Amino acid sequence: MILIHGGSGFIGQHVAKALLSRGADVVVTSSRGHAPAFLADEIAARRVYVEQVDVTDAAAVAGVTEKYKPDTVVDLTGHPPKALAPGKDVLFRSGALVNILEAARLSAVSRVVLMSSMDAYWGLGPDAVPFHEDATVPLLEQDDHYIVQSWAKKALEVIGNLYRRQYGMDIVFVRASGVYGPLYRTFLNVPSRIARAAAKGTIEFGPQTGGLPFAEDGYDQVYVKDMAEGMALVTTSLTLRFPVYNIGSGEAPTYQCFVDAASEAAPGFGLRLPSRLESAGPVASGPLDGLWQDISRAKQELGYSPRYSVRHAIAEYVDWLRRHDR
């Protein structure tokens, strides 16, 4: 049995599917307790169980862990960047994490998988690309970005590693790249907005999300099914040599690649991205552009390799949005 906190969310539902395909039974928690339609067949077949759990409630987290006695706990909880004021954000995230770790410890859970992200490398310059798991990451950074949650991911790893050292728990961190695909609700990242624009015929690039990006820009972003596959490999591998694994595309596809794929999926799609070459005067790179993770550790040890090209992923995503995004 695998317990996924945040399993009713965007990535969580896909991770549940990937684990189910490996024969696992899964419990997903939700703050609202609603049964995800994406998992309806598996819920009906009693292979997925849904529990309403407030992860800031220590007793509730301990209760669901004791009830199901899972072999593995996966933490995919969270909320959009800067959705809360800093004080509330710190209390929510750190409190939820401690509750999950304490419940896992008291119930002698075999492994805990914590979803970190490429944001853990925030503060390293382009000269450190591709980011490797052994890189020394800075605790203090000067730059910010509307989609980056660096403090939360660095704090998660510090707290998780404390439990790992102090209690000898098998705690593993997955540093995820950017993720796009079906069920993504916020449409904060550029690939999701390109796909939605192609599916709906409207362009949604307001100033609050940075406006139109340059065609040549882009960073490590991976289709959600590939991310779920990587998470499932980390979760179900009998032994792991390392406590940290990068999971992503292993490259920095440009936004023009996504536009080209969307144009193929939706003939007549008219989005034209500005080019740096056409811009008057010097143009500085954005803080994420050109950044990507080295995924060789996951490839060599776990056999992880992204199966979806940008072309394949966007075609499937556009088709899904046409049918589901109302």
Side-chain angles (χ1 to χ4, degrees):
M1 181 70 73
I2 298 173
L3 171 60
I4 308 176
H5 287 292
S8 65
F10 162 48
I11 296 175
Q13 293 183 62
H14 288 279
V15 170
K17 285 271 193 183
L19 291 170
L20 289 162
S21 72
R22 285 168 164 75
D25 289 326
V26 175
V27 182
V28 300
T29 72
S30 164
S31 60
R32 298 185 180 91
H34 70 278
F38 189 68
L39 300 173
D41 291 343
E42 293 84 355
I43 292 170
R46 299 183 66 81
R47 292 196 60 208
V48 173
Y49 302 88
V50 181
E51 293 282 348
Q52 183 174 5
V53 176
D54 176 358
V55 289
T56 65
D57 182 339
V61 176
V64 74
T65 309
E66 180 60 24
K67 176 180 178 180
Y68 288 96
K69 295 180 170 48
D71 301 304
T72 305
V73 170
V74 181
D75 178 18
L76 298 173
T77 59
H79 45 261
K82 303 169 182 64
L84 301 176
K88 290 182 178 179
D89 211 4
V90 170
L91 288 173
F92 177 93
R93 293 181 190 267
S94 60
L97 176 60
V98 169
N99 290 341
I100 290 168
L101 292 174
E102 279 292 301
R105 179 179 71 84
L106 294 171
S107 293
V109 169
S110 297
R111 176 176 294 162
V112 179
V113 180
L114 301 178
M115 191 170 192
S116 183
S117 82
M118 194 169 78
D119 292 354
Y121 299 110
W122 190 250
L124 294 177
D127 56 329
V129 172
F131 299 135
H132 191 272
E133 291 94 338
D134 291 334
T136 301
V137 297
L139 288 179
L140 304 179
E141 321 101 357
Q142 299 304 316
D143 292 329
D144 200 4
H145 189 272
Y146 67 89
I147 207 169
V148 168
Q149 307 186 72
S150 61
W151 81 264
K153 301 309 181 184
K154 292 178 182 181
L156 174 146
E157 293 195 17
V158 169
I159 294 169
N161 200 48
L162 170 63
Y163 273 76
R164 182 174 162 270
R165 294 194 326 266
Q166 194 78 15
Y167 297 114
M169 295 171 67
D170 182 4
I171 297 176
V172 187
F173 308 94
V174 172
R175 290 179 180 165
S177 70
V179 187
Y180 63 94
L183 305 178
Y184 183 54
R185 300 186 184 99
T186 63
F187 293 96
L188 282 174
N189 61 38
V190 172
S192 67
R193 280 180 280 140
I194 289 173
R196 193 181 199 190
K200 297 172 69 72
T202 57
I203 309 300
E204 303 175 15
F205 287 89
Q208 72 276 12
T209 52
L212 279 173
F214 286 108
E216 301 89 346
D217 290 348
Y219 66 99
D220 195 338
Q221 300 193 70
V222 73
Y223 194 49
V224 67
K225 290 185 178 180
D226 283 328
M227 177 56 62
E229 180 69 12
M231 291 288 300
L233 285 169
V234 171
T235 302
T236 59
S237 293
L238 294 179
T239 58
L240 294 171
R241 293 177 57 204
F242 303 97
V244 182
Y245 292 85
N246 289 338
I247 300 293
S249 69
E251 58 186 11
T254 67
Y255 294 133
Q256 187 60 50
C257 289
F258 289 102
V259 169
D260 291 343
S263 298
E264 186 174 338
F269 177 52
L271 180 62
R272 183 181 184 279
L273 299 180
S275 170
R276 290 180 172 276
L277 301 176
E278 299 170 355
S279 300
V283 178
S285 294
L288 291 172
D289 297 322
L291 304 184
W292 54 284
Q293 299 187 117
D294 183 333
I295 58 173
S296 59
R297 176 179 288 181
K299 279 187 173 182
Q300 293 165 9
E301 183 181 343
L302 306 177
Y304 169 74
S305 185
R307 296 173 297 171
Y308 283 80
S309 65
V310 168
R311 178 172 172 266
H312 184 189
I314 289 296
E316 185 174 286
Y317 191 15
V318 168
D319 178 66
W320 186 89
L321 286 168
R322 284 174 174 151
R323 291 181 288 110
H324 295 90
D325 186 31
R326 297 287 185 263

